[in-house]
Amino acid sequence: MAECVGGSSHTMDKSITLPPDQIFRNLENAKRFAIDIGGSLTKLAYYSTVQHKVAKVRSFDHTAKAPSDKLYEISMQEEVTARLHFIKFENAYIETCLDFIKDHLVNTETKVIKATGGGAIYGLTGPVDKEDEMTCLIKGCNFVLKNIPHEAFVYARHADSEFRFQTTNPDIFPYLLVNIGSGVSIVKVESEDKFERIGGSSIGGGTFWGLGALLTKTKRFDELLQLASKGQHTNVDMLVKDIYGGSYGCLGLTGDLIASSFGKSATADTDFCKEDMAKSLLHMISNDIGQLACLYAKLHGLSRVYFGGFFIRGHPVTMHTITYSINFFTKGEVQALFLRHEGYLGAIGAFLKGAEEDNPNQYSWGENYAGSSGLMSVSPEMNPLQRARSGTFDMLEMDRLERQLVNLPLLQDPSSYIPDTMDLTEDAPAREYWLYCFEEALDGVVKRAVASQPDPQEAATRAEKFCQKYRHKLQTLRHQPFAYGSLTVRSLLDTREHCLNEFNFPDPYSKIKQRENDSALKYFQKAVKALEQLSWEDRQFALVRGVLAGNVFDWGAKAVSDVLESDPEFGFEEAKRQLEVRPWLVDCFDRWLERLKGPPHKCALFFVDNSGVDIILGVMPFVRELLSRGTEVVLASNSGPALNDVTNGELQILTERIAAMDPVIRSGLKEDRLTLVQSGSSSPCLDLRWFFSPSYPSSYRIVSTAEVCVCVCVCVPPSLSRLDKVLAMVVRERQTDLVIIEGMGRAIHTNYHAMLSCESLKMAVLKNSWLADRLGGKLFSVVFKYEVPAGKC
C-alpha cells in the first residue's frame, strides 16, 4: 500500500470524531483494497480476516474407569472468518485517511488498488487499476440486493412509518437502476453479467449542485440539501391553482400540482429566499428524473426501479419527490425503490472485481450490526447529538456466512412470507416497550457473559465495552428505528449477538446449558415411564403439555430467569403447574388429537428451542411418540449459540446419550429415521428463508474413546445427522408433511402468521406479560396452533 498512496504522513484530522481504529478495523489483516472516489465522497473497501472465539462442546467418555460427572466439557477456541469493510467519508479527509492506512498496514497482499468513480485516479500513485464505473455499480447493486435483508425500501413521507422495507428475494432480475450522479444513467439489468444503459439525462445531481450554487451562493452539496429541507417551494413555483384558481378536474390535475417550476420568479417583483429556491430546484430536478424513469420502466415492462447515486444521499425531500413523481405518472404500477447502502455500490463492485480469484460470490454475506452505521447516520437532517456521535464517517461491515439464502420448500407463498410478527418500525408503543425491555436486560446479560469466561476480571472489562456498544445501538434505534431495516424483536436479538461476539462472548449461557442438560438427563427415563403408563389419549395430552412446560425454561424471558435464579429447585413439575389450564389462549388440541387418530405423518420437521428440560423432557418424548407411530423426524437446531437455545453440537451429544438409554430413539438413529440438522441460525428467532449450506465435508458423529474426550466436529461417516445436505434438500427427500415450530422466538415473534403448504404445529408459552396482553392473554398463556392448508383438510 505504501507505494500506492501519495502525500505526507500525519495523524488523523481532529475533526474525525471516531478513533481511527474504530473506523479502519482489522487493518493489520487487510488483504485487498478498492476505492471509489466521487465528486464529494470517497468510498473505501477492503477484505480482512477476523479472529474471534467460538464455543465448542466435547463429549466425555462415560465408559472410562473414572468417568466425569458431566455430560460434556466446554472449550473456547480461536476461529478465523472473513469480513468485508466499506467506509464512506467526505473527500476532504482522503489524504489523512489514506496516510493512516499506509502507516498502519503490516501485512497485505495488495499489489494493485482497484479504483472506480470519476475521481478514481486523482491523488493515487503507484499501481492502480481503473475499473469501469457502470460495471462496478451493477456488481455492487446485485451484491447488496442478494445479501442484505431489508436493503431496499419504499419511502412514504407522511405515513406512520416513512421507511417500508422490502423482503429479500433471491430472484432480483430484471430491474431498472437509475443512477443519479452528476448526470443520470438509466440501466436495465437482466442478469449478473447482462446489463445495458438504455437512457439518461444531463440534468442530474450536478445540475442541482451547479444551479443551486448560482442561486444561493452555497457551494457545499449537503448545505444545499439542508436549505431545501427548510424551504417552501410554492413561494417560487407556479401551481395549477395559481393559473386556474383551483384544480383542473377534466385533466386530472390537482390544484397543488406544480404547473411551472420557478414560474412565479418571472412575474413577482420580490426577492426570493435561498431556502425556497433550493426547494424549488430540488423538486424540479427530482420530478424530471422520476418522469424519465417512468417512461423507460414502461417502455421495457419493468416494475422495479432502484434509485441510487450521490444525489439521493438518503435525503427525505429527494426521495419523497421522486416517489411522488413515479406514483403520479404510473398510477402506482411502478415502485420507486431506494437502497440503504446505495452510496457503497461502486466500491463494492470494484472490490468484487479485484477479489474474483477468491470467488466472493460463491458465499453469502451478512451485515454485521456491531460494526455498521445505520441508515441516515450522517444525514444532514439528523439531530446534532446523533451526528456528533456518528462522526463524519459511515461504515458497513459484512461477515462471510457458510450458508445460502434458500426458501423452505414448504412455504405456501415465499414471495409474501414475512417472518416477523410485529414491525417495531411502525408500531411505536411496541417499539418503546421492547427497546426498554432489552436495555433493562443488559445487566443480566453482562453478568452471565462474565460468568461464562475463565478469567472473570479480564472478562469484566470486555463486558463493559459490550454493554456500552449495545446500549449505544439501542439509543440509535430509539431515534432511528429504520437504521438497519425493519426493526423487530429478531433484529434486536441479532444485534445483541453481534455485539457479544465482537467482544469475544460467543456463548454466555454455556455453563447454564451444561448444568441444565446434565440435570434433565437424570429424569428422562422416569418421564418416559410415566408417559407409558397413561392411556393413548391421555398420553397425547401429556406429551403436548410436556413440550409446553419444557418451553417455560427460557433464560431469554425475564419473568422466567428471575424465577430460575431465585429458585434453583424450580423444575419440570413446577413448570407444568404454571401453565394456563384449558381452554388455552390458542387451543387447537382437539383438532390435533383427531388428526393423530388418522394415518401417521410421513416426516416431521421440528424446529427446537431451549436446552435442558425443554429439549430432554419436553421435545424428546414427543419425538419418541412420533417415531413410534412410524413418522420420520428431522430435528433442526441452531448452528450457533443464542441465549440458552440448544445448538446442533450439544443436541448431538444429548441425542447419543438418550439413545443409550432408550430403544426407540436408538433405533430411530440406527435406521436413519431420526435426523439432526443445523438450521443455519444463531438466533432465538427463525427466518424460514435461511438455511445452512456447508462448503466443506460436514457429516458429524460423536466418537468416544477409553481415555480422551472427542470434539463433536470430527468428520466421519453419517450417523446422527446428514449435514452434508442442505436442510431444504432433506425436507424434499423425506417428503415432509408436518412442520413443528416451538418457542416464543420461533413461533410467536416470528412465523406466527407463516403459511405453510403442509400441516403445521406452533407451540409456545407466553413468558412476557406485555406480549401476552397484546395477544389477549396473560403470563404463561399457551399457544397451540395446529394449521392445515386450504384444500388439505
Side-chain angles (χ1 to χ4, degrees), residues 410 601-604 632 729-738 758:
L410 298 173
H601 296 88
K602 170 66 178 169
C603 177
E632 296 180 6
M729 291 173 59
V730 174
V731 166
R732 288 194 186 96
E733 285 182 354
R734 300 280 172 130
Q735 299 176 40
T736 300
D737 53 358
L738 173 65
C758 68

Side-chain angles (χ1 to χ4, degrees), residues 28-142:
E28 67 277 8
N29 298 318
K31 297 190 181 300
R32 286 182 176 79
F33 280 84
I35 194 165
D36 176 8
I37 305 176
S40 60
L41 293 174
T42 295
K43 285 77 67 176
L44 184 71
Y46 62 94
Y47 165 97
S48 78
T49 53
V50 182
Q51 196 167 31
H52 61 96
K53 292 187 184 297
V54 294
K56 298 284 187 180
V57 292
R58 296 166 64 94
S59 175
F60 282 115
D61 174 28
H62 293 272
T63 64
K65 293 179 180 179
S68 169
D69 60 344
K70 294 184 181 299
L71 179 65
Y72 57 82
E73 71 167 348
I74 307 160
S75 64
M76 299 293 170
Q77 299 180 18
E78 295 289 339
E79 194 169 88
V80 176
T81 56
R83 178 172 289 174
L84 302 181
H85 303 258
F86 304 100
I87 303 163
K88 181 170 63 177
F89 52 89
E90 295 173 8
N91 286 352
Y93 303 117
I94 189 169
E95 286 191 23
T96 51
C97 288
L98 292 179
D99 284 348
F100 178 83
I101 292 169
K102 176 186 67 176
D103 293 343
H104 289 78
L105 277 178
V106 178
N107 176 32
T108 176
E109 299 173 7
T110 301
K111 304 300 181 188
V112 176
I113 292 181
K114 293 290 184 180
T116 189
I121 302 299
Y122 175 76
L124 299 177
T125 61
V128 176
D129 269 359
K130 179 74 162 57
E131 294 291 342
D132 177 68
E133 188 174 358
M134 193 56 63
T135 301
C136 291
L137 195 69
I138 301 304
K139 272 188 172 291
C141 191
N142 292 340

Side-chain angles (χ1 to χ4, degrees), residues 263-380:
K264 289 179 181 176
S265 62
T267 56
D269 188 17
T270 182
D271 292 329
F272 295 95
C273 72
K274 55 186 179 181
E275 288 85 358
D276 294 346
M277 289 189 290
K279 184 66 163 287
S280 176
L281 182 62
L282 183 63
H283 271 293
M284 181 183 77
I285 292 171
S286 298
N287 278 323
D288 182 68
I289 293 169
Q291 184 174 21
L292 196 62
C294 287
L295 293 172
Y296 279 103
K298 283 192 166 187
L299 183 64
H300 292 268
L302 299 172
S303 59
R304 284 179 291 189
V305 182
Y306 297 100
F307 290 86
F310 88 89
F311 179 68
I312 303 293
R313 300 284 282 275
H315 191 261
V317 176
T318 308
M319 294 188 295
H320 171 69
T321 310
I322 288 176
T323 299
Y324 181 88
S325 177
I326 291 280
N327 289 338
F328 178 82
F329 290 112
T330 70
K331 295 180 171 58
E333 293 177 4
V334 173
Q335 272 193 327
L337 294 161
F338 304 93
L339 302 171
R340 283 203 289 137
H341 301 103
E342 56 86 16
Y344 297 108
L345 302 186
I348 292 173
F351 173 82
L352 293 174
K353 289 283 287 183
E356 285 176 343
E357 64 190 73
D358 293 329
N359 297 317
N361 276 318
Q362 78 178 11
Y363 301 103
S364 289
W365 301 79
E367 183 174 6
N368 176 18
Y369 296 139
S372 297
S373 307
L375 177 65
M376 295 179 69
S377 62
V378 291
S379 165

Side-chain angles (χ1 to χ4, degrees), residues 157-158 224-239 241-242 256-258 260-265 271-284 317 320:
R157 190 177 189 187
H158 300 297
L224 268 175
L225 289 177
Q226 283 181 299
L227 287 176
S229 68
K230 299 172 184 175
Q232 179 54 263
H233 77 98
T234 56
N235 293 333
V236 181
D237 293 339
M238 186 175 290
L239 309 181
K241 65 183 178 184
D242 294 324
D256 292 326
L257 198 66
I258 298 173
S260 175
S261 295
F262 287 90
K264 289 179 181 176
S265 62
D271 292 329
F272 295 95
C273 72
K274 55 186 179 181
E275 288 85 358
D276 294 346
M277 289 189 290
K279 184 66 163 287
S280 176
L281 182 62
L282 183 63
H283 271 293
M284 181 183 77
V317 176
H320 171 69

